[in-house]
Amino acid sequence: MTNLLSAIVTAYCHCSACCGTSGNPTASGKMPVVGRTIAAPRAIALGAKIVIDGHTYIVEDRTAKRFDGRFDIFMRSHKEALKWGKQTRTITIITPIFIFGAPKEHH
């Protein structure tokens, strides 16, 4: 399923100012990766793909509850995160589809 919407997009890095403590894994249990990791509202499944300005990110983290509704791109440094700032962007959400209980093939 694909959704297109306008949303607030911010940025964060791995420092204690952005995350409370530094060096922790994301909500998915993976370490964040520049160019791949994005934090998203809890209503969006971990593993969903988010396209912003033609670049595809993977939802691997969660935004702080007070910022639920925003998207937060993982950046290499605090300086880069501050430079990004707070922007309103058109984003595309590509939700993964999980199929449970699919029939088995009979031979």
Side-chain angles (χ1 to χ4, degrees), residues 41-87:
R42 284 150 187 76
I44 298 172
L46 291 172
K49 294 180 181 178
I50 306 294
V51 182
I52 302 171
D53 298 334
H55 185 88
T56 303
Y57 299 91
I58 299 172
V59 176
E60 295 180 329
D61 211 354
R62 294 291 179 217
T63 53
K65 285 185 180 182
R66 65 184 173 153
F67 298 123
D68 207 30
R70 291 185 185 182
F71 293 83
D72 211 9
I73 299 171
F74 182 73
M75 299 280 179
R76 181 171 283 108
S77 69
H78 194 71
K79 184 178 179 179
E80 287 180 35
L82 289 175
K83 184 178 177 183
W84 175 273
K86 179 179 169 183
Q87 303 179 25

Side-chain angles (χ1 to χ4, degrees), residues 26-49:
T26 64
S28 69
K30 298 176 182 177
M31 294 306 289
V33 176
V34 174
R36 182 186 78 195
T37 303
I38 193 166
R42 284 150 187 76
I44 298 172
L46 291 172
K49 294 180 181 178

